[in-house]
Amino acid sequence: MGPEAKFNLHRVVGMTAIIAMIVAMFVKGWDDMPWPYLAFAFAVYAAALVASFMLRIEDFRLIMGCHVALIFLAMGILLDLGSPGAHAGFFIASISSGIAIPFVLLKQ
């Protein structure tokens, strides 16, 4: 890190969200892990952030929504939903509500 390095809130929140996902994995245990849910959660999060940076989208609310959605998805690992359909429903609800919350709470 050189002298031009600055504090970046998105990096801090993104790393916190990834750490929350990893902690949820250890709390849940490896045997009961919904692996497809976990793989899709990381893939959607990574794709959203890569696309936002490649397209130079600098909307704070959108990027923060990606972080909030990943935190919601981490909470979904801890829930014992049972069926794959319930996991899919929680997955969709987590992404949509996670992205919507910053737009509701923060004005442009």
Side-chain angles (χ1 to χ4, degrees):
M1 293 177 58
E4 68 279 350
K6 294 187 248 180
F7 177 76
N8 188 337
L9 179 65
H10 291 299
R11 287 183 189 152
V12 172
V13 175
M15 289 304 296
T16 303
I18 291 172
I19 290 170
M21 183 74 82
I22 292 170
V23 167
M25 289 167 46
F26 280 107
V27 168
K28 180 73 172 182
W30 299 109
D31 295 334
D32 297 330
M33 185 65 57
W35 290 106
Y37 178 90
L38 182 69
F40 282 121
F42 274 124
V44 167
Y45 178 70
L49 290 183
V50 167
S52 68
F53 290 121
M54 288 182 69
L55 298 173
R56 301 201 193 287
I57 298 172
E58 296 180 7
D59 187 6
F60 177 80
R61 298 176 300 169
L62 179 62
I63 297 172
M64 190 58 69
C66 293
H67 301 321
V68 173
L70 184 67
I71 291 171
F72 285 168
L73 290 169
M75 286 186 254
I77 290 175
L78 297 175
L79 297 176
D80 189 19
L81 299 174
S83 71
H87 275 288
F90 189 83
F91 187 85
I92 293 168
S94 295
I95 292 174
S96 59
S97 61
I99 291 177
I101 285 175
F103 283 93
V104 171
L105 296 177
L106 303 173
K107 303 240 184 250
Q108 187 66 335

